[in-house]
Amino acid sequence: MSVAFTKEESSETASETLLPDRPVSPHPNLVTEAGLKALELQLRQAREAYEAAGAIEDVNERRRQQAGPLRDARYFAARVHTAQLVAGPTSSDIVSFGSTVTFSRDDGRIQTYRIVGEDEADPKAGSISFVSPVARLLMGKAVGDVVSAGEQELEILAIS
């Protein structure tokens, strides 16, 4: 049989299907209830995308299309497995995981962020990771406290 009629994987295709794992943070995987649900949804979506790509007839294209979802499924499975669900804050007296904190900057800007887990952080949507520099400065502080962030000072205006 001629090699032209076999479905051998090229070295290029092999390198495209062996994607490196997504980096996993060394910090504890603290999550809010919404964050855990989002991780579970992303895991389900990655598995569905992997299964859908399995229907592709061309073996090289199937492997190419399955590589991303397979990598994502490994990542989200690990994140769901290591998730540590943290109940919402019981008090709005001090900033803690799950708190929404409003603070002012020296330049007059007022910002509000919710402190959440790493996978659910989205600063543009108003949430920051508990390991971010600003969150670490704010945690454990109360309304009226001032913290130094580089050359700026942040004053906590409200906690909810």
Side-chain angles (χ1 to χ4, degrees):
M1 177 190 257
S2 169
V3 173
F5 296 105
T6 63
K7 294 244 180 190
E8 300 245 350
E9 184 176 287
S10 68
S11 61
E12 181 180 303
T13 303
S15 68
E16 291 174 359
T17 61
L18 299 175
L19 298 177
D21 282 338
R22 291 174 62 173
V24 174
S25 171
H27 301 286
N29 186 14
L30 305 182
V31 296
T32 64
E33 189 174 336
L36 181 57
K37 287 179 181 178
L39 284 173
E40 291 168 340
L41 174 63
Q42 290 170 309
L43 174 58
R44 190 168 46 256
Q45 290 171 336
R47 287 177 174 164
E48 289 169 359
Y50 178 81
E51 291 298 322
I56 297 172
E57 285 188 37
D58 179 82
V59 67
N60 291 332
E61 186 60 23
R62 179 175 59 241
R63 288 179 181 155
R64 238 185 252 109
Q65 294 298 318
Q66 286 181 322
L70 181 59
R71 176 188 60 188
D72 290 347
R74 286 192 308 264
Y75 174 81
F76 290 119
R79 296 303 279 175
V80 168
H81 179 73
T82 60
Q84 298 174 32
L85 183 61
V86 177
T90 56
S91 166
S92 59
D93 294 338
I94 62 165
V95 178
S96 61
F97 186 88
S99 293
T100 298
V101 59
T102 302
F103 57 90
S104 64
R105 294 181 175 269
D106 287 344
D107 60 10
R109 288 184 293 159
I110 295 179
Q111 296 179 296
T112 300
Y113 290 108
R114 182 165 185 236
I115 299 174
V116 296
E118 291 178 278
D119 291 308
E120 59 188 308
D122 182 359
K124 290 181 181 177
S127 60
I128 57 174
S129 167
F130 73 100
V131 297
S132 70
V134 170
R136 292 192 334 214
L137 287 172
L138 297 173
M139 302 248 309
K141 304 295 188 238
V143 172
D145 285 351
V146 176
V147 296
S148 294
E151 296 181 14
Q152 285 198 48
E153 288 189 341
L154 312 177
E155 180 180 358
I156 299 173
L157 303 176
I159 304 168
S160 57

